[in-house]
Amino acid sequence: MEIKLSGVTADYQIGPIRSPLVLDHINLTVASGSFTAVVGPTGAGKSSLMKVLNGLILPEEGQAVIGQLVVRKGADKKTLKAVRKRVGLVFQFPESQIFAETVEKDICFGPLNFGATAEEACTIAADVIGQVGLDRTFLSKSPFSLSGGQKRRVAIAGILACRPDILLLDEPCAGLDPDGQSEILNLLTRWNRDYGMTIVLVTHDMDRVARYAQQAVVLVKGKIVFHDSVRRLFTDPARLKDWDLDLPEARRFQLKLEKHSGVALPGVCLTEEELAEALIKVGRV
Amino acid sequence: MNKLILGRYFPGNSLIHHLDPRAKLVAAIAFILIAFLAGNVPGLVLLWLFTFLAMALSGVGFRIYLRGVRPLIWLILFTVLLQILFISGGRTYVEWGPFTVSSFGIETAVFIFSRFVTIIFFTTVVTLTTRPVDLTDGLTFLMRPLRLFHVPVDELSMMVSIALRFIPNLLDETQKIMDAQRARGAVFGEGSLFHQMKVLVPIFLPLFASSLNRGEELANVMDVRGYRAEARRSSFRQLHWRGRDTISMLALLALAAGLAALNLLA
Amino acid sequence: MSEPMIEVRNLSYTYRGRGEKSALSSVTFSVSRGEWLAVIGRNGAGKSTLAGLLVGLLKPQSGSIRINGQMLDETSEWALRRHMGIVFQNPDNQFIGTTVEDDVAFGLENENMPVAQMKVRVAEALKLVGLSGLRQADPSRLSGGQKQRVAIAGILALRPDILILDEAFVMLDPKSRRDLLSTLRRLAEATHLTILSITHDMDEAAASNRILVMQDGKIVNDGTPGQIFSTEKDLGAPFSERLRRILLAKGRRAPDQYMTEEEMVDWLWK
């Protein structure tokens, strides 16, 4: 399912302080079945963008079109509910949303809200628990007895249970150990590849962007300053510095080596595997 | 909840911001009593002038103060209306069944209204210009005598300041969990009262769990950093009583004296 | 060599109600003064249990801990806590004060230190972590990395011998991690602080003098970063080591042991 934002403007109010134009006339098309990373400095509006796509914030101006559904100022509740069913939103530390006494009940919360029968919800729960790489014995367990990584996956299963076509994730790996992190990211890659699920990932970690995403969107002060392939994003280090963004480790190492040797390696290396290949090509190893 | 002004701090650099919180607390309490001293029209004018002076000196916009009165406006209007309709005496303008609108009633209403609003304005001056933690420090100092009666003043003060410190985190967390459940199709504020209560469970349970967890971690941190309730602690934040604090107390005393004098003259 | 700063002997711990499996079984090691020791291993390897025991939040079921030669027990616990501090995972849940300097002063207040002396100590500690400019800031204005540095300052203000970090990096974004790591490096150089960092972050581990590898409550390896990264092939490693491993796997020319990034660049293009 495609996402298309045109001229979207949003502001945000916290207490007496109103921040105008957290999103400033955003035009963005996210292709169906793509894996897009949204990056940018803290406070650039990444979270607000996610909330607009899920109908949690309505645009002041402009509109977001998700499939056939339109999110704009004054959109009715029925539309918003339909949008939330199509677009799953995984917040940072999603395990903090878990409330039920069993994993199964928690996973069923979403489907029941969206009108599934109890029986249907149970079938879905049994299905999605496998999708996040846990077996069915987990369904009857208390979510509070699980490890951090397992809780995280149960929370994500709770979103998948709503059967979204698009999955938005805000730093889904934050706070996990390296094994837990790669498990989550490998799951995302699989859903994207095997089920054609559209994935939008917000992260600060450029190594994840380099390794897992195809497209990158750079958001700076509420404006989109870049939307192209990940490889192009990491081509020009000076530009990244302007946007206050890091380089992936492989690319950083590549540039260091090129500066040291005065010889350019072929291509832009995004991972250590690519860097090794480039070194082989120029005959250094 | 976002519109509530009472209890909120507006950072600033005004004279009033720099007053000792103890002076401001004493002033707020004293003002409530003094407001009842205003017994005639010149007294009322003096009360208003004094309030406006404090508001002007605070450097916070007048609009903000009006927003502070807004949540109480119905209570105020109701009280005023009660006075107008039920108090009789002096010249009577309208009589309708049990209701009378008289000059006496209107006069009382004006007094009640003035006291009400000046007290709100004045206490708002204090809360807007004082950081909550300074208010706590001031209050702790003023409650010191209670130690004699074995009231754990310092422990209470530690509790209040930790609570104040974590209120913003708690509000953020509530918002976040609400958003997360809305993203899973939950709808809040609709349907029967029972239904509305029921949909709050997915908010309060996680909030409760995370608060307990937070509390436990905080207790560990305090433990490791050497906090012992029974031990004597010094305080990094110090209160300094300065000349301007004494002057502010004198100004208040002058107001009280002025009002008393006006009462005697009349 | 002088007496070790931390000496752990046959330390064991089992959580109640979690079956037979012990979180820590018969762990023995010591850390000398001024050393930076990293403890790595998967989740559930017993790393955080070790941290809890070292600062006296958990009581050992058997074995002993000596801090600077003195046995850690209920009676010495409060005195010993003056000499060590711990930074936990969650930057939000350990910020007690309403402003940065308030928070740094918390431990000093507990010592009943006079105000004038506190002022000096707080200023000194904030300078060490590079946060002097944010003295008055409240926690909501700080990044995760800055909050962790405030936590470190709160410990430094007590002029301790030991700094323990219990996965202090895990909740931080990459930029904050780099920030915190360079602060730690500076502290390790400029002070005689003994640092014990429990971590998943391989760059943090690589910055230490020595690494302990834990697995299922036991120490399974102990050595310099070079030795550990060259032998523990299943564990993550810093970038230069990951590149070296790929080159080895492809049967290409590769350094025969772990190298830092600078060494690797030199090696590749002499």
Side-chain angles (χ1 to χ4, degrees), chain B residues 218-233:
Chain B
L218 192 67
N220 280 343
V221 169
M222 290 176 71
D223 220 18
V224 177
R225 293 181 72 181
Y227 177 77
R228 282 196 277 185
E230 70 274 19
R232 263 198 82 75
R233 318 176 66 235

Side-chain angles (χ1 to χ4, degrees), chain C residues 136-211:
Chain C
Q136 301 274 357
D138 66 60
S140 66
R141 271 183 50 206
L142 305 179
S143 71
Q146 286 170 330
K147 280 180 204 158
Q148 294 298 56
R149 277 150 71 196
V150 172
I152 292 178
I155 294 163
L156 293 178
L158 287 158
R159 298 200 179 143
D161 299 312
I162 303 167
L163 174 65
I164 301 173
L165 300 125
D166 184 4
E167 298 191 19
F169 284 69
V170 78
M171 306 271 262
L172 307 181
D173 62 65
K175 262 209 177 71
S176 288
R177 284 180 192 206
R178 276 207 303 276
D179 252 23
L180 189 55
L181 189 58
S182 66
T183 305
L184 283 180
R185 282 207 173 100
R186 214 176 49 238
L187 285 177
E189 262 172 41
T191 67
H192 298 292
L193 213 55
T194 305
I195 302 177
L196 193 147
S197 62
I198 288 169
T199 187
H200 290 305
D201 188 297
M202 289 305 144
D203 294 321
E204 188 189 349
S208 69
N209 307 120
R210 192 176 128 214
I211 298 178

